[in-house]
Amino acid sequence: MNDAERISEPVKGKCLCGAVEITLTDAHKEIDVCHCSMCQQWVGSMYAGIECDGSNVIGEESITTYASSDWAERAFCSKCGSSLWYKFKPTGARTFLAGLFDLPNNMPIKQQIFVDEKPDWFDIAQDSPKKTGAEIIAEAEAAGFTFE
């Protein structure tokens, strides 16, 4: 990605109670949306995440992580319950819940994934690429990741 596709200034966010504060550097100027059933259970709807190249987290003592599968870990504030991030264990890459941050207007959706698990009652008006769970797993396997 070039500099034009990133937010130039650090982006600050926090959980609902403020016990966890997160600063993102080189945050991507787009949102990833996941409709998988685990994300729905975790956040109550779809997961909207933002990627970044660097992050600083204050309040580690208030963070609890949960291994939701062999390849994923999810973090939340143990005081207020706010969901914080999703971590893909094979690469260590994290995406942070977009709602934690004061983001610029007009952030496009990069893609919507696991659209085959999206409930009928939920639609996003913004047109964006849409991939099924099988397509995402096939892409990950093609990149060398294995799922058990």
Side-chain angles (χ1 to χ4, degrees):
M1 258 187 173
N2 62 36
D3 291 332
E5 295 172 310
R6 300 193 187 259
I7 300 171
S8 59
E9 299 295 320
V11 178
K12 296 181 184 279
K14 62 183 178 180
C15 66
L16 187 60
C17 72
V20 178
E21 297 178 8
I22 303 169
T23 302
L24 307 180
T25 53
D26 290 326
H28 296 206
K29 277 190 175 179
E30 56 197 6
I31 303 295
D32 282 309
V33 173
C34 182
H35 296 285
C36 80
S37 59
M38 276 196 267
C39 282
Q40 290 177 49
Q41 289 176 319
W42 183 38
V43 298
S45 185
M46 56 87 183
Y47 171 83
I50 184 168
E51 295 179 54
C52 65
D53 288 342
S55 61
N56 182 45
V57 178
I58 297 172
E60 297 274 352
E61 66 280 358
S62 297
I63 297 171
T64 298
T65 58
Y66 172 69
S68 57
S69 67
D70 290 339
W71 65 88
E73 175 184 281
R74 298 162 193 265
F76 62 94
C77 174
S78 60
K79 294 185 181 201
C80 67
S82 293
S83 299
L84 302 171
W85 66 75
Y86 168 91
K87 179 180 176 182
F88 186 57
K89 289 192 217 178
T91 63
R94 293 187 293 184
T95 60
F96 296 83
L97 270 92
L100 299 172
F101 305 94
D102 184 19
L103 297 172
N105 291 329
N106 302 317
M107 294 274 290
I109 295 172
K110 177 182 176 184
Q111 63 182 348
Q112 295 182 57
I113 62 172
F114 289 87
V115 294
D116 49 322
E117 296 182 30
K118 181 183 78 60
D120 291 339
W121 53 262
F122 187 83
D123 286 313
I124 294 176
Q126 188 181 118
D127 190 29
S128 56
K130 296 171 182 70
K131 299 176 183 175
T132 66
E135 291 170 323
I136 290 299
I137 290 169
E139 286 180 7
E141 288 173 340
F145 300 109
T146 57
F147 299 92
E148 296 177 22

